[in-house]
């Protein structure tokens, strides 16, 4: 029997940390075995800024996922984002020693390995080397070179680069949580795997993942990744604006945004008002939903305009680079009311909300199907593709159920022996002094105390 491939993804976000355990079912869909979620306390804009708090949040999410699934997590694929991420286009080539042999995986690996040795800026590290089109002996636009003949193999690459210190901090948090790091994946790439179809990638599509601390962009055309970017603004900035604009605390601002927030002010009437409880017996505060929408609208427009600048930098206006499938919105920020309409208005491109439910098994929890979990679903899929055995079934504690009854029987026998011994002593010696009686009593109670301690420890 083939060993089942249990995969684990860990999304270390600015507002939440999610651990997800899953496997591929017989229909090729992702079956979720367990999800653990915790509040992210040590991460700002996708970058770890407090190691201790991040470790605690990771351990909490991991423990919850393990308890729900019954699996022990050994290693995880982690999503990486943050304002330190940048991408570059690079071309490289190799001259093959024997042009009479067909091109194999080893040739591709050699070419990618060569790109991995590129000199980066001080403190930077290559995260991904993603091949685009290949060229063999001058023949261009080759998508799959394996099996072809040629002496000179050339390719253009999309290279994703990040700060080495930020990557090491993430790795340290994982290892300090008693699990191993099996792989790093750029978060927009993970989200893209979860919510985009192959047809969309072929036609040309921009994925915008609006998270708590960052907004991630991934552009695909002809089935190939063309551009990635991380913008250091997300849902938290909107919450901060509401907090300042309405003079309320952060928790109230977040609740207002989620329950009543809208990215389109025209949808709210002037007389729509929500009352916020005052702090420590103060008077309640009345907030106009129209004003709330205006605050949200201003910040969302700023974020979308920055993303649209990146789309234009890719060359969206060029007919050959046109994104026919438009924009797909995902992440927690995509759940904001009327954000789809606002994005269409700013960019003039067709827009839809991306849900990861296409790849999930039919019996999956409805909550997991929302855009909030797109990144972690993509990370689990990435782990499955890499055939990572990330978790093992926790064996039931059979030693307690099997071993404990004999111990209790032995203890009961010993108690009976002690009682019989005491009875026989009383029968033999009816005239015992009070001191020896007290001694017998305290000896027995001390023994029972030891038994109680043993049973407590055996629980």
């Amino acid at each position: 029997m083939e060993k089942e491939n249990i995969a684990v993804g860990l999304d270390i976000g600015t507002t939440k940390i999610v651990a997800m355990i899953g496997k591929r079912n017989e229909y090729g869909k992702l079956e979720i075995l367990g999800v653990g979620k915790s509040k992210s306390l040590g991460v700002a804009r996708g970058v770890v800024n407090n190691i201790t708090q991040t470790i605690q949040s990771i351990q909490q999410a991991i423990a919850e996922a393990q308890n729900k699934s019954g699996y022990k997590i050994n290693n995880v694929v982690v999503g990486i984002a943050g304002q330190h991420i940048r991408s570059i286009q690079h071309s490289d080539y190799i001259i093959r020693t024997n042009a009479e042999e067909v091109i194999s995986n080893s040739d591709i690996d050699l070419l990618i390995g060569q790109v991995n040795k590129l000199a980066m800026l001080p403190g930077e590290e290559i995260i991904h080397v993603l091949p685009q089109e290949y060229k063999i002996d001058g023949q261009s636009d080759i998508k799959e070179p394996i099996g072809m003949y040629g002496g000179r193999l050339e390719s253009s690459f999309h290279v994703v680069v990040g700060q080495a210190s930020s990557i090491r901090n993430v790795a340290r948090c994982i290892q300090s949580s008693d699990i191993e790091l099996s792989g790093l994946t750029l978060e927009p790439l993970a989200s893209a795997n979860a919510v985009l179809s192959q047809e969309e990638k072929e036609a040309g599509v921009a994925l915008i993942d609006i998270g708590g601390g960052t907004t991630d962009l991934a552009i695909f055309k002809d089935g190939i990744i063309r551009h990635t970017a991380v913008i250091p603004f997300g849902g938290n900035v909107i919450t901060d604006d509401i907090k300042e604009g309405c003079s309320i605390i952060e928790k109230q601002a977040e609740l207002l945004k989620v329950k009543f927030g809208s990215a389109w002010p025209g949808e709210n009437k002037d007389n729509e008002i929500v009352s916020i409880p005052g702090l420590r017996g103060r008077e309640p505060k009345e907030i106009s939903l129209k004003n709330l929408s205006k605050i949200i609208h201003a910040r969302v427009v700023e974020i979308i305009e920055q993303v649209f600048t990146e789309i234009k930098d890719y060359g969206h206006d060029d007919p050959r680079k046109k994104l026919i499938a438009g924009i797909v919105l995902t992440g927690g920020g995509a759940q904001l009311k009327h954000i789809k309409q606002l994005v269409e208005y700013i960019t003039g491109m067709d827009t839809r909300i991306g849900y990861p439910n296409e790849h999930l098994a039919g019996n999956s929890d409805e909550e997991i199907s929302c855009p909030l979990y797109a990144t972690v679903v993509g990370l689990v899929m990435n782990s499955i593709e890499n055939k990572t055995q990330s978790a093992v079934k926790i064996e039931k504690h059979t030693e307690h159920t099997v071993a404990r009854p004999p111990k209790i029987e032995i203890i009961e026998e010993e108690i009976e022996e002690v009682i019989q011994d005491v009875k026989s002593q009383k029968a033999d010696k009816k005239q015992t002094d009070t001191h020896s009686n007290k001694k017998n009593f305290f000896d027995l109670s001390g023994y029972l105390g030891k038994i109680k301690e043993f049973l407590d420890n055996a629980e």
Side-chain angles (χ1 to χ4, degrees):
M1 185 180 162
E2 191 184 343
K3 197 176 183 183
E4 61 179 2
N5 175 212
I6 307 298
V8 183
L10 183 68
D11 177 14
I12 303 175
T14 303
T15 49
K16 67 178 188 333
I17 289 176
V18 184
M20 185 179 279
I21 305 173
K23 66 175 182 179
R24 188 168 275 149
N25 66 11
E26 64 268 33
Y27 305 108
K29 297 289 185 182
L30 182 62
E31 185 184 329
I32 305 301
L33 302 170
V35 179
K37 194 166 90 167
S38 66
K39 189 172 171 60
S40 182
L41 298 172
V43 182
R45 292 187 175 173
V47 179
V48 174
N49 62 5
N50 187 317
I51 293 280
T52 309
Q53 286 185 328
T54 305
I55 291 166
Q56 287 171 354
S57 297
I58 290 171
Q59 286 172 335
Q60 192 181 329
I62 291 287
E64 190 185 329
Q66 289 182 153
N67 290 339
K68 285 182 178 176
S69 67
Y71 281 82
K72 169 83 173 68
I73 294 172
N74 297 324
N75 55 66
V76 292
V77 170
V78 178
I80 190 134
Q83 56 199 37
H84 61 95
I85 301 288
R86 69 184 183 95
S87 60
I88 54 173
Q89 293 296 121
H90 175 75
S91 292
D92 216 322
Y93 71 93
I94 56 166
I95 302 296
R96 300 180 65 235
T97 50
N98 188 355
E100 298 304 311
E101 284 185 4
V102 294
I103 294 165
S104 64
N105 277 317
S106 59
D107 294 307
I108 306 292
D109 292 341
L110 185 66
L111 184 54
I112 290 171
Q114 198 165 286
V115 178
N116 270 306
K117 291 173 189 167
L118 273 176
M120 290 290 114
L121 293 172
E124 282 190 335
E125 207 171 90
I126 292 173
I127 300 169
H128 288 297
V129 173
L130 305 164
Q132 296 178 323
E133 290 102 345
Y134 291 91
K135 197 184 277 188
I136 301 171
D137 292 343
Q139 182 189 342
S140 58
D141 293 334
I142 295 169
K143 288 187 181 177
E144 184 52 83
I146 292 171
M148 299 179 76
Y149 289 97
R152 177 185 164 113
L153 176 64
E154 191 176 345
S155 178
S156 56
F157 292 92
H158 183 77
V159 183
V160 180
V161 181
Q163 283 290 337
S165 57
S166 295
I167 296 163
R168 288 198 189 101
N169 283 338
V170 169
R172 191 185 159 203
C173 290
I174 302 295
Q175 282 156 0
S176 299
S177 304
D178 296 327
I179 46 177
E180 293 297 315
L181 179 64
S182 64
L184 277 172
T185 300
L186 188 65
E187 288 194 356
L189 294 180
S191 304
N193 281 345
V195 303
L196 297 181
S197 67
Q198 191 55 39
E199 288 84 0
E200 284 176 318
K201 290 180 182 178
E202 289 286 344
V205 65
L207 177 85
I208 303 172
D209 185 343
I210 307 169
T214 60
T215 298
D216 308 331
L217 171 71
I219 296 175
F220 292 83
K221 179 73 176 174
D222 299 326
I224 297 164
I225 182 78
R226 299 294 179 180
H227 186 75
T228 52
V230 177
I231 289 135
F233 298 109
N236 279 8
V237 192
I238 301 168
T239 306
D240 286 343
D241 286 355
I242 298 167
K243 184 179 82 172
E244 298 299 323
C246 300
S247 301
I248 53 177
I249 61 171
E250 190 174 343
K251 190 178 175 184
Q252 291 172 335
E254 182 65 27
L255 279 169
L256 262 183
K257 180 183 79 176
V258 172
K259 285 195 170 183
F260 303 103
S262 166
W264 200 267
E267 291 295 316
N268 296 111
K269 297 184 179 74
D270 292 327
N271 61 351
E272 285 182 311
I273 286 167
V274 65
S275 183
I276 300 287
L279 296 175
R280 303 279 292 180
R282 292 174 178 84
E283 287 293 312
K285 191 168 290 215
E286 290 189 341
I287 291 158
S288 159
L289 291 188
K290 198 170 192 73
N291 287 341
L292 176 68
S293 292
K294 282 178 180 174
I295 293 167
I296 293 170
H297 174 81
R299 183 60 80 175
V300 174
V301 167
E302 187 186 346
I303 292 168
I304 299 305
E305 280 180 346
Q306 284 202 42
V307 174
F308 195 38
T309 302
E310 289 284 345
I311 293 171
K312 286 190 273 193
D313 287 347
Y314 147 75
H316 168 60
D317 295 332
D318 184 337
R320 291 172 302 170
K321 294 183 173 183
K322 192 169 179 62
L323 304 177
I324 297 163
I327 290 170
V328 175
L329 293 171
T330 194
Q335 297 177 122
L336 189 64
K337 280 190 209 109
H338 306 116
I339 192 164
K340 172 185 174 291
Q341 290 88 333
L342 180 63
V343 171
E344 284 181 334
Y345 177 74
I346 292 170
T347 63
M349 296 165 74
D350 288 340
T351 305
R352 74 170 178 91
I353 307 295
Y355 299 89
N357 51 4
E358 185 188 330
H359 301 283
L360 296 174
N363 59 352
S364 297
D365 191 345
E366 197 177 323
E367 189 194 0
I368 297 163
S369 302
C370 75
L372 197 71
Y373 292 96
T375 300
V376 74
V377 167
L379 292 170
V380 175
M381 289 168 63
N382 182 282
S383 183
I384 287 172
E385 281 164 26
N386 294 339
K387 294 186 167 51
T388 317
Q389 186 60 35
S390 300
V392 291
K393 191 85 173 165
I394 297 170
E395 295 297 325
K396 298 289 181 193
H397 297 292
T398 49
E399 69 272 10
H400 286 285
T401 55
V402 174
R404 189 167 166 175
K407 287 180 184 174
I408 291 168
E409 284 167 19
I410 291 163
I411 289 164
E412 285 171 351
E413 283 169 18
E414 287 176 1
I415 292 170
E416 193 60 40
E417 281 174 22
V418 171
I419 291 166
Q420 291 299 330
D421 191 38
V422 172
K423 281 182 181 174
S424 63
Q425 282 180 25
K426 281 184 179 177
D428 292 342
K429 289 183 176 185
K430 290 201 173 172
Q431 290 187 344
T432 53
D433 60 359
T434 53
H435 176 72
S436 62
N437 272 335
K438 280 180 185 172
K439 189 172 185 299
N440 273 334
F441 172 76
F442 284 117
D443 280 352
L444 184 58
S445 63
Y447 186 67
L448 289 169
K450 283 181 184 175
I451 294 167
K452 187 177 182 303
E453 185 183 345
F454 172 81
L455 289 172
D456 287 344
N457 290 335
E459 290 292 344

